[in-house]
Amino acid sequence: MAQNHTRNAATSSDYRTMRGYLFVLAFGGAVLVMAGVQTAGLLVSQRLVADSYKVLQRQLSASYERDVAGVLEHQLAYLHMLLRNPAVIGAIRRGDREALMREIQWQYELKRQENPHVEVLHFHGPDNRTLLRVHQPENFGDDLTTLRPMIADANRTRESRTGFEIGKNGISYRAVVPITDGGDHLGALELGINIAYFTERLAEIFDVQVGVIFQGAAMQPFVAQHGDTELLPLGNDSFAFSAMDALVREAGRHSQQSRANLIPFDYQQKRYVAHKVFGINSYLGEKVGTLLVVADVSEQVEGIWRHTMWSSAGWLTLLMLLLFGQYRIFSRMQASIHKLAFYDQLTGLPNRSLLLDRLERAVLNSARNGEYLALLFIDLDNFKQLNDTRGHHVGDSLLQQVAERLRGCVRASDTVARQGGDEFVIVLEGLSHELEKALLQTHSIGEKIVAVLNEPYFLEDDLEHRCTSSIGVALSIGGKVDVDELLKRADISMYQAKAEGRNQVTFFQSTEAGIP
C-alpha cells in the first residue's frame, strides 16, 4: 500500500514536471512564433513602404520631365510668335529700343500675369550685347560673350538653344532663338523661367516638399554677383540656398551621404523619405544640380508599428487573423499611396499622372473606333488676384467649387482632371465620326462650361465672387496626334483665348487632314 502511494506520488510528480516542460516549450514556441511574425511583419511592411514610394518617385520624375518638355515647347513657340511681328523685327533692325519696348512690354506683362515665374525677356545683338531687357530697360549694352555662353553660341551657330543656367538670380530654364530677317542675322531673343515654377508644381500636385541642391562649380556666377552668404554647404561640394526650408536642407545633407536615390531619415521625431528625383543639366549637358523631393511617411511607419505591437500580444491561434490584418493594412496603405500618386488632394480630381494615362487610352480608343476625342484646357481668369487679396484658403474653396461644377458639365465616362494651380483639363471621348458634328458637340459643352463657371461663387463670410474662364480645345481622331502634341495644342489654344479677351472657347487650328 505504501509502495503504491509512493509510486503514485512519483508518477504525479513526473506528470507535473512534464506539464511544466510542455508549458515552457509551448510558451517558448509561441514567443518564438510571435517574434518571427512581428519581425516578418516589420520587414514586409517596410519593404512595402519603400516599393510604394519608388512608384511615387517614378511618377514625380515623369511629371517633371513632361513639365520641362512642355515649357520648352511653349517657350520656343512664344519666342517665334514674337518674332513674326513685323514691327518688332523693324525695331530690332533699326536698334530702336523705345519702339521695341512699346511692341513687347504689354505681351511680357501678360506673360508674367499667366506665369509669375517668368524672369527675363532679353533681346541681344549679333555682337552678344544686350539691346533690350524688358524687365530692366535701363540696363543695356552689356557684352555677354563670356558671361552667357548660351547667347554667344546661339549667335555663332544661328540655332536655338535651351537649358538651365545659373545667373545672378539663381537657376532658371532658358530658351534662346536666333533673330533673322530676309537672310540677315539680327541677334538672339531669350526667355527665362525660374526653376521655382517646376518645384512649386511638383509640391502642389504630389503634396510633398521640393528643393534644389546645387553643384559648387555651377554656382560661381551667383557667388560672383552676391557672394556666398546666401549659400549653405551640404557636403561633397554641394550647396543649397540658406532660405530653403530646414527640413529640405536636412534631407539634402542625408542625400549627400548616400548614393541611393531613395533615402529614409528622421527629423524632429518624424520619419521622412528623400527622393533624388532628377538631375538638372545645363544646355551643354553639364550637371548643375539635383531636384530633391521630401515626403512625410511618419503616419505610415507609426501605423505599422502600432499594428505589429498589437499583433505580438496574440497566440498561435491568432496567426491567421494577424496575417489577414496585415493584408488589410497593406491594402489600405496601397490605396492611400495610389490616391496620393494619382489624385489631387484638394479637389479629389485625377491629377496630371492619371490624366496622362487616361488620355493615352482615349487616343487608343479613338484609333480603334474611329470617333473623335476632344481635349479641353481650362484656366481660371485672374485667379491669382483672388489668392493674393483673400488668401489661399479662399482660393482653395473656389477651386473645389469649380471642380464640382466641371463634374456636372460632362458625362460619367469623360475625365475631369486638375493640372495644378487653377488649371483644369477635360477629356471628351466617343464624339461623332464626322468632324463637323464633333466640333458642334465640343463647342456646345465648352459654352456650357463657360456659362456654368460664370455663375457666382459664395465663399467665406458670404463673399460673392464671379470668375470667368479661358478654354483651349484640341481635337484628334484615329491616333493621328499623340498625347504630348494634344496637350501642347490645347495649351496654345487656351493662351489664344486669353489673348483674344478671355471668357471664351478657342479651338486649335491645323492644316492636318481630318484635324481641326
Side-chain angles (χ1 to χ4, degrees), residues 224-351:
Q225 183 75 19
H226 299 279
D228 58 3
T229 57
E230 298 183 32
L231 299 180
L232 184 70
L234 299 176
N236 295 336
D237 193 33
S238 297
F239 298 85
F241 284 118
S242 56
M244 183 185 292
D245 184 85
L247 170 62
V248 183
R249 293 204 307 267
E250 182 69 15
R253 292 190 182 93
H254 285 280
S255 72
Q256 297 307 303
Q257 298 168 4
S258 173
R259 295 184 178 181
N261 289 328
L262 195 71
I263 308 106
F265 68 98
D266 296 315
Y267 181 71
Q268 294 185 350
Q269 299 181 341
K270 284 191 174 183
R271 189 70 167 171
Y272 295 89
V273 173
H275 310 268
K276 296 178 183 178
V277 176
F278 204 77
I280 303 172
N281 297 325
S282 70
Y283 87 104
L284 295 174
E286 300 169 343
K287 186 174 181 180
V288 297
T290 302
L291 202 67
L292 190 69
V293 174
V294 186
D296 184 352
V297 296
S298 305
E299 293 184 4
Q300 290 90 334
V301 173
E302 289 174 5
I304 292 168
W305 272 105
R306 284 195 300 268
H307 175 75
T308 304
M309 294 304 295
W310 175 86
S311 65
S312 65
W315 294 91
L316 288 174
T317 55
L318 298 179
L319 180 59
M320 295 303 297
L321 294 177
L322 175 63
L323 295 176
F324 179 73
Q326 290 279 6
Y327 172 78
R328 290 287 303 275
I329 284 183
F330 296 164
S331 299
R332 286 197 297 269
M333 185 186 305
Q334 286 179 317
S336 175
I337 295 176
H338 181 272
K339 184 176 181 180
L340 175 67
F342 294 105
Y343 287 88
D344 176 52
Q345 301 301 300
L346 177 64
T347 63
L349 295 176
N351 64 14

Side-chain angles (χ1 to χ4, degrees), residues 101 108 134 140 151 153 181 223 267 296 351 410 431 444 451 481:
M101 189 69 177
Y108 176 72
V134 180
F140 62 94
I151 301 298
D153 195 21
D181 180 41
V223 173
Y267 181 71
D296 184 352
N351 64 14
V410 298
L431 300 177
S444 175
V481 182

Side-chain angles (χ1 to χ4, degrees), residues 8-116:
N8 291 337
T11 303
S12 298
S13 176
D14 291 341
Y15 285 154
R16 285 195 297 270
T17 302
M18 185 179 296
R19 284 201 303 269
Y21 287 153
L22 289 174
F23 177 79
V24 170
L25 289 174
F27 181 79
V31 170
L32 290 175
V33 170
M34 287 186 293
V37 170
Q38 178 178 346
T39 302
L42 283 174
L43 293 175
V44 172
S45 300
Q46 291 173 355
R47 178 60 182 271
L48 181 60
V49 169
D51 288 347
S52 299
Y53 274 91
K54 286 180 181 178
V55 173
L56 178 58
Q57 182 185 23
R58 289 196 294 270
Q59 296 294 338
L60 286 163
S61 298
S63 179
Y64 176 71
E65 290 172 354
R66 288 181 181 274
D67 275 348
V68 171
V71 166
L72 167 61
E73 294 285 347
H74 187 70
Q75 280 180 295
L76 292 176
Y78 178 75
L79 294 178
H80 286 301
M81 180 194 72
L82 294 181
L83 295 179
R84 285 196 295 268
N85 187 339
V88 171
I89 295 296
I92 294 173
R93 184 178 285 279
R94 298 191 306 271
D96 190 340
R97 299 178 66 255
E98 294 183 359
L100 183 58
M101 189 69 177
R102 286 195 301 270
E103 292 292 334
I104 293 298
Q105 186 172 20
W106 68 273
Q107 298 193 57
Y108 176 72
E109 294 300 329
L110 178 62
K111 189 72 173 172
R112 286 273 299 169
Q113 290 177 13
E114 300 300 337
N115 185 354

Side-chain angles (χ1 to χ4, degrees), residues 366-377:
S366 175
R368 183 170 56 253
N369 57 35
E371 296 174 338
Y372 274 94
L373 70 89
L375 182 68
L376 284 68
F377 202 109

